Amino acid sequence: MSCGGRTTRVQRRGMTTVELLIAVTITVVIGLSMTTVLTSVARGLSSTNGERSAMQRANVLSHRMLSYTETALAVIAADERGLAIWLHDESGEGKVNLLELRALCFDDDEQMMVMRRVEFPEAWTDEEQAAANTVVTSVEDPFTVMDQQEALGYVTTVPIVDGVSGFAVESSGASAVESPRFAVHVDVVIEMDHSEEVLLAVGLPMHMEPQ
Amino acid sequence: MAGAACVGVAWCYADSDVPDMGTVSIHPGGARGLARGFTLAEALIASAVLAVIVVAVAASVSTAQKVAWESRKRMLATFAADGMLSELMTLGYYDLRDRDGQTDAIGSMETMDGVVYPKAFWALGRSVSVTDTSVTEPGSGTVVDGVDVRVAVYDEHKDLSVLTVFVAEPAE
């Protein structure tokens, strides 16, 4: 080809098969390495987010539990179902009435912690409320009592925190009602099929046993 | 374009409507011969740029992970401090003093009743101090004697969570 009186003839050869194969191999190796690195980074970040979320949920549960136990008088039942808390002695008789009971329950199916309490209809008179506000005796299981009240439509349930896959309690005394301190083991979900166990210690400074 | 000075070759189609791409140099300088590869300097610069990018990305990911780990430890430390303080408040005023100097070594924290903390708390230790103090009520100016109960949860470097509460001496 002539161009301004000068001739440039350039041989442009393609790549040989070996060069092409080497180039493809290098590209594949780099691509795979990058994919591996990026996947592990993404997994790490996702796991970090999951852990942060799990810790925040455990923190919420810790604060909610402490807010109840700081002023509670006793825990009248504590097992894998949750904590049945005698919150205050409104009647002044030293007995646990239905309205003085709070049940921090572990819902295994929904993987969440909820707080349940008895609440009678507002339309009821004071006499009707007082008549229904019966004493929970020491032989009764407070969780069963709560279920019975729920069947009657008198229980309000408030969700506390979700993403809880396990719950267990250890009491400081021979029984829950005698114990002023509890070690609550909670499994908080980080990712699907991956939980972290957290221990939340709670004490009852105002502890007293019901009559 | 015919007869014009030619810089590069992609524009030099003077003698033909169809450029002969098979014989055209792609170098602007109109170099003759085979297309040249990268020089050593160019390759080194490219490698250096790539290395800087890779190092920067790795460093930021590493920093993010470190921050997340630190934040997680602080949260667990708060649980441990809150828990100990809550347990201590179940003791009588005069029993509190017996807890002064109580220490759980790093990795072996227990509740007051001997329940071992799970492995999530492995990097943490805890100490309790109870010191005599008195506070003056702002309104009345009354001086109230009592103790400061201080719970510190730490890792091997520093305190991560410190909680202090004043407990008044019971009236006689």
Side-chain angles (χ1 to χ4, degrees):
Chain A
M1 186 175 72
S2 176
C3 184
R6 286 178 62 189
T7 301
T8 51
R9 292 199 66 82
V10 177
Q11 290 293 330
R12 237 188 65 177
R13 70 174 183 88
M15 286 198 283
T16 64
T17 307
V18 173
E19 287 170 341
L20 188 64
L21 282 175
I22 291 171
V24 168
T25 307
I26 290 171
T27 307
V28 167
V29 168
I30 290 173
L32 284 177
S33 319
M34 291 294 283
T35 307
T36 310
V37 169
L38 290 176
T39 305
S40 60
V41 166
R43 195 175 297 151
L45 290 177
S46 162
S47 168
T48 304
N49 279 339
E51 282 185 0
R52 190 185 305 131
S53 166
M55 287 300 116
Q56 283 169 349
R57 277 180 275 124
N59 193 33
V60 168
L61 181 59
S62 167
H63 279 97
R64 292 300 294 271
M65 267 201 314
L66 288 172
S67 71
Y68 281 102
T69 56
E70 268 172 8
T71 55
L73 300 176
V75 171
I76 59 173
D79 54 34
E80 70 285 349
R81 292 172 297 173
L83 297 171
I85 302 168
W86 182 27
L87 196 60
H88 47 75
D89 187 19
E90 208 167 75
S91 65
E93 297 170 345
K95 294 175 181 171
V96 184
N97 290 86
L98 283 176
L99 293 175
E100 299 163 0
L101 191 62
R102 299 289 182 275
L104 177 68
C105 298
F106 171 53
D107 186 337
D108 197 6
D109 296 330
E110 298 291 330
Q111 293 206 327
M112 67 188 303
M113 301 295 303
V114 296
M115 185 61 81
R116 300 164 76 198
R117 66 190 168 94
V118 174
E119 200 171 76
F120 297 126
E122 285 182 13
W124 282 13
T125 63
D126 289 348
E127 289 74 26
E128 284 174 318
Q129 297 232 6
N133 188 19
T134 55
V135 172
V136 181
T137 63
S138 59
V139 293
E140 287 180 293
D141 174 44
F143 295 110
T144 307
V145 169
M146 200 58 85
D147 289 341
Q148 290 164 350
Q149 292 297 315
E150 187 162 38
L152 296 169
Y154 302 148
V155 169
T156 301
T157 302
V158 180
I160 302 288
V161 68
D162 62 355
V164 176
S165 62
F167 183 90
V169 193
E170 291 180 72
S171 312
S172 61
S175 67
V177 76
E178 296 171 43
S179 307
R181 292 179 296 278
F182 297 86
V184 178
H185 300 265
V186 180
D187 294 328
V188 280
V189 177
I190 293 175
E191 291 172 327
M192 197 174 287
D193 301 330
H194 181 205
S195 299
E196 175 114 69
E197 185 190 348
V198 173
L199 189 147
L200 305 172
V202 292
L204 281 66
M206 322 274 284
H207 179 253
M208 64 178 266
E209 291 183 41
Q211 292 174 5
Chain B
M1 291 286 290
C6 190
V7 177
V9 287
W11 302 271
C12 300
Y13 305 145
D15 299 329
S16 168
D17 290 338
V18 181
D20 179 7
M21 297 302 288
T23 58
V24 170
S25 166
I26 58 168
H27 292 284
R32 68 184 65 169
L34 289 174
R36 68 175 181 87
F38 288 113
T39 64
L40 180 60
E42 287 169 341
L44 283 175
I45 289 168
S47 300
V49 169
L50 190 64
V52 166
I53 290 170
V54 168
V55 168
V57 169
S60 58
V61 168
S62 163
T63 305
Q65 297 279 26
K66 210 178 287 179
V67 168
W69 167 242
E70 193 68 20
S71 147
R72 180 176 178 276
K73 259 197 314 190
R74 282 186 187 277
M75 193 73 94
L76 290 169
T78 307
F79 297 156
D82 272 338
M84 176 51 83
L85 208 53
S86 178
E87 289 189 299
L88 285 169
M89 291 303 104
T90 65
L91 300 177
Y93 176 80
Y94 298 102
D95 295 329
L96 277 176
R97 293 165 185 278
D98 298 338
R99 298 287 168 170
D100 184 34
Q102 177 184 317
T103 303
D104 291 337
I106 289 175
S108 57
M109 285 199 301
E110 292 181 356
T111 67
M112 208 179 280
D113 301 296
V115 178
V116 177
Y117 273 76
K119 63 180 179 184
F121 295 80
W122 67 269
L124 304 175
R126 188 166 59 180
S127 68
V128 177
S129 66
V130 182
T131 50
D132 288 318
T133 187
S134 57
V135 295
T136 307
E137 283 189 5
S140 61
T142 311
V143 176
V144 181
D145 291 328
V147 289
D148 265 342
V149 181
R150 180 182 185 273
V151 177
V153 180
Y154 47 83
D155 64 3
E156 57 183 348
H157 302 296
K158 59 185 179 298
D159 286 344
L160 298 171
S161 179
V162 179
L163 299 176
T164 306
V165 67
F166 172 75
V167 181
E169 187 174 3
E172 293 185 6

